[in-house]
Amino acid sequence: MSTKKPAAYSESSIRVLKGLEPVKQRPGMYTRTENPLHIIQEVIDNASDEALGGHCGHIIVTLNTDGSISVEDDGRGIPVGMHPEEKVPTVEIVFTRLHAGGKFEKGSSGAYAFSGGLHGVGVSVTNALSTRLEVMVWREGRVHQLAFGNGDVIEKLKSRAIARDEKKSGTRVTAWPNPKYFDSPAISQPDLQRLLRSKAVLLPGVKVTLTHAKTGDTQTWQYDQGLRGYLIETLAQASNTDPLIPLFEGEQYANADAEGFAEGEGAAWVVAWTEDGNVVRESYVNLIPTPAGGTHESGLREGLFGAVKSFVEMHSLLPKGVKLLPEDVFARVSFVLSAKVLDPQFQGQIKERLNSRDAVRLVSTYTKPALELWLNHHVDYGKKLAELVIKQAQSRLRSAQKVEKKKSSGVAVLPGKLTDCESKDVTRNELFLVEGDSAGGSAKMGRDKEFQAILPLRGKVLNSWETEPDRLFANNEIHDMAVAIGVDPHGAKDSPDLSGLRYGRICILSDADVDGSHIQVLLLTLFFKHFPKLIEHGHICIARPPLYRVDAPARGKKPAQKIYALDEGELEAIEDKLRKDGVKDTAWSISRFKGLGEMNAEQLWETTLNPDTRRLLPVSLGEFDAAASEARFNMLMGKGEAAARRAWIEEHGNEAEADI
């Protein structure tokens, strides 16, 4: 047996990770670890930001023979002078300090008004996860060089004059990714090509080159048509069908007077609708690909829907009973969207998804009026689009028309939430419909598993008074109840098959408060409207859990007792009895159950489940006949009966005892 003492937990146990150590310890928090593409993308993004600002015309990515990757641009070059606060060369800070960068200062005064790099983490992560990283900067008539090893400076900054035949400004970063941090050291070529091509698309006029040093092969992308050419090309590859109507394209950016948006914020877009085939959807924020979409895509969806809906309504094209939803408009949409957002918030460092809330309003504000105007200028195309969208809506409605009971091999599958009983004797079996999962847990433990089954219900049940029978099973709770009971929904005049009935008693077990009463009424509405024969044959009951528990002390020969009270009236009666027995008012304590979930299994069995000690109220029509009951249910549960309900409440309001 080991006698090793556990390590002491003291002040010295707390370790602070300095510099780039956090990245090396948990690389997955900062980048994708499948392969090194993302850490190279960080360098490419920096070059793209220079191009976005209009300072760079050519980006060159080289896959070197020794496994390193170089990214070179002809931008302004990273500043190399001493940092005024840190007192080390600025280029060194960029590659060695987390949360250091030139993109935090927003607006027209900053070096980068719009950029993809925003966290100040990017290239320092590249450095941390590379065995070696070399930086060369051409700036202000000199060439500056420094090198890092595993994130630390190994060759300090040195400078020389620019030779006559050298370029005047720019940056080259060469990285040797450390294979120990990645599942595979090899970068996916298609992914790299896709990334570089998208940069060329989004930076019209900028040339992007990929060079393989080993083979000498070179690929160059330069799109003068920008987004339009890209979508046409990509759509042709993904689908053989032509767009239904001409491409809808546009761009709009906020000016200095724009309310609610920063100057320069906005979007460029190209949208195509096709009748079949695959759709192409690509979105970018400040040139950063966002494969997981985000709020800018939601803005485009909202804008397109608003414009199409307005056009359809203006021209009265919508058939009766059809309601358009955003997914009807968006289902057959292909698009390329490039948003410019001043201070975008991404989900995580890898920036796959945009989270900025304002981006929804930004993109929808600019796309909706533009499409609306375009559709009204090209009414024939607008009507063709409306036809496609309405067809989508009708198809959606048809598929939702009838929801059948879920079956497997022709037999209804019992719901997973049901805790069934062991007995097959229907006359003895009981099903408890329990409010809430926590009460369901207590009921499962407290029941007699021989003949008592438990089905927990989540939240309020649907008000099914005006629900069509063939739509009932669209509601999961009602579907599960019907399957568990073994009887299909039916009308009052129907003769349903009750041979599948699995329980002789179906007991509604809800809290003894206002919410619990509401759930009771909703369930009784369901049974009265859609399962009337179960009420007629006496299968429906209401369990009555107590609201109070009185802990009475021992008195005379009587030991200490736990007495349960159903309501206020019973509580008063118990207190009067205790006083008669000579117990002082302060000697007993009263606890109020907020809900069934507060009862433990033993209490629930004793008060509500045990056939010998519980109170179970059978449900029948009582003093009201079927017609009067129906009229009363209609007044209480009908959607258009608000005025009748109000009058009834005003008439009987004085009879209610408010549970406050």
Side-chain angles (χ1 to χ4, degrees):
M1 186 179 163
S2 175
T3 55
K4 190 180 173 185
K5 282 187 175 179
Y9 180 52
S10 64
E11 287 79 4
S12 60
S13 308
I14 305 300
R15 188 176 160 212
V16 179
L17 298 177
K18 301 282 178 67
L20 298 178
E21 201 58 30
V23 184
K24 295 175 186 177
Q25 290 271 0
R26 296 285 185 271
M29 285 179 66
Y30 297 89
T31 188
R32 293 192 199 94
T33 53
E34 293 91 9
N35 63 60
L37 176 62
H38 187 255
I39 65 168
I40 302 304
Q41 185 183 326
E42 293 286 3
V43 188
I44 297 167
D45 287 345
N46 281 2
S48 303
D49 287 338
E50 280 290 279
L52 190 60
H55 306 290
C56 164
H58 194 186
I59 299 169
I60 304 163
V61 178
T62 307
L63 302 174
N64 302 308
T65 51
D66 59 358
S68 65
I69 300 116
S70 299
V71 179
E72 187 175 336
D73 64 58
D74 56 357
R76 292 170 290 184
I78 301 170
V80 293
M82 284 291 172
H83 193 271
E85 292 169 16
E86 301 292 326
K87 308 301 181 197
V88 292
T90 304
V91 65
E92 186 181 316
I93 287 174
V94 169
F95 284 88
T96 58
R97 308 283 171 90
L98 293 174
H99 309 292
K103 299 159 190 174
F104 293 114
E105 194 175 338
K106 299 299 167 194
S108 53
S109 64
Y112 295 86
F114 295 90
S115 67
L118 295 150
H119 302 132
V121 175
V123 285
S124 50
V125 171
T126 309
N127 189 18
L129 304 181
S130 298
T131 51
R132 182 178 174 85
L133 186 137
E134 294 173 0
V135 184
M136 189 175 271
V137 176
W138 292 264
R139 186 181 172 98
E140 296 164 355
R142 297 188 71 77
V143 182
H144 311 268
Q145 280 181 276
L146 77 162
F148 306 88
N150 294 311
D152 302 316
V153 177
I154 54 173
E155 293 174 23
K156 289 199 170 181
L157 186 70
K158 55 187 182 195
S159 305
R160 62 169 175 82
I162 289 179
R164 188 177 291 175
D165 57 341
E166 275 190 288
K167 65 181 185 182
K168 300 293 181 249
S169 69
T171 306
R172 182 198 294 151
V173 177
T174 304
W176 285 257
N178 191 335
K180 79 173 189 182
Y181 295 114
F182 303 98
D183 301 339
S184 165
I187 287 175
S188 164
Q189 290 301 303
D191 287 352
L192 179 60
Q193 289 167 4
R194 197 177 300 118
L195 173 70
L196 295 175
R197 187 176 70 160
S198 69
K199 297 295 183 195
V201 168
L202 298 167
L203 295 163
V206 174
K207 190 187 287 184
V208 181
T209 302
L210 174 63
T211 302
H212 296 259
K214 193 181 280 184
T215 60
D217 294 342
T218 297
Q219 286 172 279
T220 299
W221 296 274
Q222 189 170 7
Y223 289 85
D224 295 321
Q225 273 194 306
L227 305 186
R228 181 185 180 88
Y230 187 38
L231 183 62
I232 289 170
E233 187 183 305
T234 317
L235 205 53
Q237 291 169 1
S239 170
N240 294 322
T241 56
D242 292 325
L244 180 74
I245 59 173
L247 300 188
F248 164 59
E249 61 183 314
E251 61 179 333
Q252 195 171 342
Y253 302 98
N255 56 30
D257 305 325
E259 201 173 313
F261 304 125
E263 186 179 355
E265 281 195 309
W269 60 86
V270 180
V271 179
W273 277 271
T274 51
E275 286 191 272
D276 44 42
N278 295 328
V279 293
V280 175
R281 294 175 178 177
E282 290 195 26
S283 60
Y284 304 84
V285 177
N286 302 353
L287 274 65
I288 301 291
T290 45
T295 47
H296 54 325
E297 286 194 12
S298 302
L300 181 68
R301 176 188 170 103
E302 196 174 285
L304 296 182
F305 171 64
V308 173
K309 186 169 180 267
S310 168
F311 177 82
V312 166
E313 285 172 355
M314 187 186 286
H315 293 270
S316 305
L317 301 173
L318 204 61
K320 195 176 177 184
V322 176
K323 187 184 176 186
L324 283 189
L325 294 181
E327 56 259 40
D328 302 325
V329 175
F330 217 62
R332 299 301 314 161
V333 162
S334 293
F335 64 82
V336 183
L337 170 68
S338 175
K340 271 191 184 180
V341 180
L342 186 63
D343 191 15
Q345 308 299 312
F346 292 96
Q347 185 176 299
Q349 169 60 20
I350 58 175
K351 303 171 188 159
E352 284 197 322
R353 180 179 175 84
L354 182 70
N355 279 358
S356 305
R357 289 182 182 173
D358 290 342
V360 179
R361 188 168 57 90
L362 175 73
V363 179
S364 66
T365 300
Y366 289 148
T367 52
K368 182 177 180 284
L371 180 57
E372 215 169 315
L373 188 66
W374 189 86
L375 290 171
N376 285 304
H377 274 186
H378 305 85
V379 175
D380 289 346
Y381 291 140
K383 286 182 175 175
K384 276 183 89 172
L385 176 58
E387 235 175 83
L388 175 72
V389 166
I390 290 163
K391 208 183 287 177
Q392 286 290 331
Q394 288 170 328
S395 157
R396 172 178 53 77
L397 285 168
R398 275 197 302 274
S399 64
Q401 275 306 302
K402 190 165 182 182
V403 185
E404 294 286 354
K405 192 187 286 183
K406 301 177 188 114
K407 291 191 175 183
S408 170
S409 311
V411 180
V413 180
L414 291 176
K417 294 188 294 180
L418 174 72
T419 305
D420 210 353
C421 54
E422 293 169 357
S423 168
K424 302 293 180 199
D425 183 358
V426 175
T427 57
R428 189 172 172 231
N429 287 357
E430 299 174 344
L431 173 67
F432 285 86
L433 305 172
V434 186
E435 174 191 350
D437 284 345
S438 57
S442 297
K444 283 173 198 175
M445 289 189 288
R447 71 188 177 122
D448 185 333
K449 64 180 182 181
E450 168 64 14
F451 68 97
Q452 292 179 327
I454 309 293
L455 182 64
L457 304 175
R458 283 189 189 165
K460 298 282 173 75
V461 183
L462 175 79
N463 177 6
S464 56
W465 185 249
E466 291 174 1
T467 305
E468 292 299 321
D470 61 359
R471 290 287 306 139
L472 273 179
F473 289 146
N475 182 281
N476 285 335
E477 301 291 324
I478 293 175
H479 174 273
D480 288 356
M481 276 189 272
V483 173
I485 293 165
V487 176
D488 284 335
H490 53 268
K493 294 176 182 175
D494 295 347
S495 303
D497 179 13
L498 298 182
S499 62
L501 183 68
R502 301 180 69 249
Y503 307 97
R505 285 197 191 92
I506 296 128
C507 312
I508 300 168
L509 177 52
S510 60
D511 293 350
D513 58 9
V514 173
D515 269 350
S517 300
H518 189 200
I519 288 168
Q520 273 183 28
V521 171
L522 290 166
L523 285 169
L524 288 172
T525 304
L526 171 70
F527 290 127
F528 182 74
K529 180 78 176 180
H530 299 286
F531 298 88
K533 295 296 176 189
L534 294 182
I535 293 178
E536 194 177 312
H537 290 86
H539 294 298
I540 308 295
C541 303
I542 293 173
R544 307 197 71 194
L547 196 55
Y548 300 96
R549 187 184 82 189
V550 181
D551 290 298
R555 53 204 187 277
K557 292 181 180 178
K558 286 187 180 177
Q561 277 181 298
K562 289 182 175 63
I563 312 166
Y564 296 93
L566 196 65
D567 51 28
E568 290 276 357
E570 282 195 6
L571 180 64
E572 282 181 23
I574 290 165
E575 287 181 304
D576 287 345
K577 179 79 170 61
L578 290 172
R579 287 189 194 100
K580 279 181 184 172
D581 287 351
V583 183
K584 289 181 182 175
D585 278 12
T586 54
W588 65 81
S589 64
I590 300 168
S591 42
R592 188 182 192 277
F593 295 109
K594 287 181 184 171
L596 295 166
E598 286 198 344
M599 289 189 189
N600 60 36
E602 190 181 335
Q603 288 170 332
L604 201 57
W605 166 253
E606 189 183 341
T607 61
T608 318
L609 299 174
N610 185 347
D612 299 327
T613 55
R614 70 188 181 191
R615 305 191 204 189
L616 207 57
L617 191 66
V619 174
S620 62
L621 291 180
E623 62 185 77
F624 291 95
D625 61 15
S629 299
E630 190 164 344
R632 179 60 56 90
F633 266 105
N634 194 49
M635 183 269 290
L636 292 171
M637 308 305 286
K639 284 177 185 168
E641 299 293 324
R645 275 196 291 277
R646 182 179 175 137
W648 185 80
I649 290 166
E650 284 174 352
E651 186 183 344
H652 297 280
N654 62 316
E655 297 168 21
E657 288 183 20
D659 184 14
I660 300 170

